[in-house]
Amino acid sequence: TIDNILGVPELSLWILLSAALFLSIGFSFLFPEAYKRKYEKHMHDQKWKDYEDGDKVGEHQTVIDETASEDVYCLNRFGATTKYVNTSNLRSARLENHFGEMKVYFDHAEITQNQITISVDNSFGEMQLYFPRHWNVQVNVNATLADVSEKNAKASAEFPRVLLTGNTSLGEVAIFYI
């Protein structure tokens, strides 16, 4: 038999399954960060309103229409999603796109402060951001083997000022003024 040729004793299926289970449990204790999702820390933070399409593959649209929403969090993985931010008091936004395509429309969002921050994290994907033409968007996005571009002319208004910060790698962040 093959057991004699390889020189290993006969192992039952239950022993192999038990060993695999115990190894998996052991690795989860040794490397806990590998078993946690990156966005779980935001789930418990009440500051961010979570609009996540991360576990869905395909094309999705979400209208973020929260009159009390001040901070918006959007996540997309392995798919295409379109977000419409309709809020009367936008204070900040955090947008994450990994291996997919994300379009976010801020044309119906209102800013009551002089300055807000929008943070982007884009890797291996395309992110398109649509801002009202009268917003003063200052782009400070770090690009690693990626492209950050602005399309259409924008007005030279001083307020509201939007600081667009974050990182993009092996992807594209395109900013449109409408």
Side-chain angles (χ1 to χ4, degrees):
T1 67
I2 190 130
D3 297 333
N4 295 336
I5 295 172
L6 295 176
V8 290
E10 185 175 330
L11 296 175
S12 72
L13 177 64
W14 292 110
I15 292 175
L16 289 175
L17 290 176
S18 299
L21 174 70
F22 288 126
L23 281 173
S24 176
I25 292 171
F27 280 125
S28 69
F29 284 121
L30 291 175
F31 307 107
E33 293 301 318
Y35 288 88
K36 288 183 181 178
R37 295 170 108 159
K38 183 178 180 181
Y39 65 88
E40 280 181 349
K41 63 182 177 181
H42 303 294
M43 297 296 227
H44 302 294
D45 188 359
Q46 294 299 319
K47 179 180 175 183
W48 299 103
K49 300 291 181 184
D50 191 16
Y51 300 96
E52 176 197 341
D53 287 339
D55 294 332
K56 302 173 188 168
V57 177
E59 191 167 334
H60 305 282
Q61 285 189 357
T62 304
V63 176
I64 300 171
D65 191 8
E66 297 283 333
T67 55
S69 175
E70 297 176 344
D71 303 293
V72 175
Y73 176 65
C74 300
L75 172 67
N76 178 52
R77 279 193 229 126
F78 297 101
T81 187
T82 303
K83 308 288 186 180
Y84 299 91
V85 180
N86 299 331
T87 181
S88 61
N89 188 19
L90 182 65
R91 196 169 62 187
S92 67
R94 184 172 175 160
L95 311 171
E96 293 185 31
N97 180 46
H98 308 287
F99 296 95
E101 178 183 5
M102 176 184 273
K103 295 179 184 178
V104 182
Y105 290 86
F106 290 97
D107 56 334
H108 292 292
E110 295 178 20
I111 299 174
T112 58
Q113 302 175 358
N114 288 338
Q115 178 175 314
I116 68 165
T117 301
I118 296 176
S119 176
V120 298
D121 183 12
N122 182 48
S123 58
F124 298 96
E126 180 181 357
M127 184 180 289
Q128 297 176 0
L129 305 175
Y130 295 87
F131 295 113
R133 190 177 301 274
H134 68 276
W135 285 11
N136 180 10
V137 180
Q138 298 175 354
V139 181
N140 188 18
V141 177
N142 298 323
T144 305
L145 299 173
D147 184 35
V148 177
S149 62
E150 292 181 86
K151 315 281 183 180
N152 304 335
K154 65 178 177 178
S156 60
E158 189 172 334
F159 297 105
R161 185 177 304 134
V162 177
L163 299 176
L164 185 65
T165 63
N167 298 304
T168 181
S169 59
L170 297 168
E172 177 185 11
V173 174
I175 301 158
F176 297 91
Y177 298 99
I178 52 177

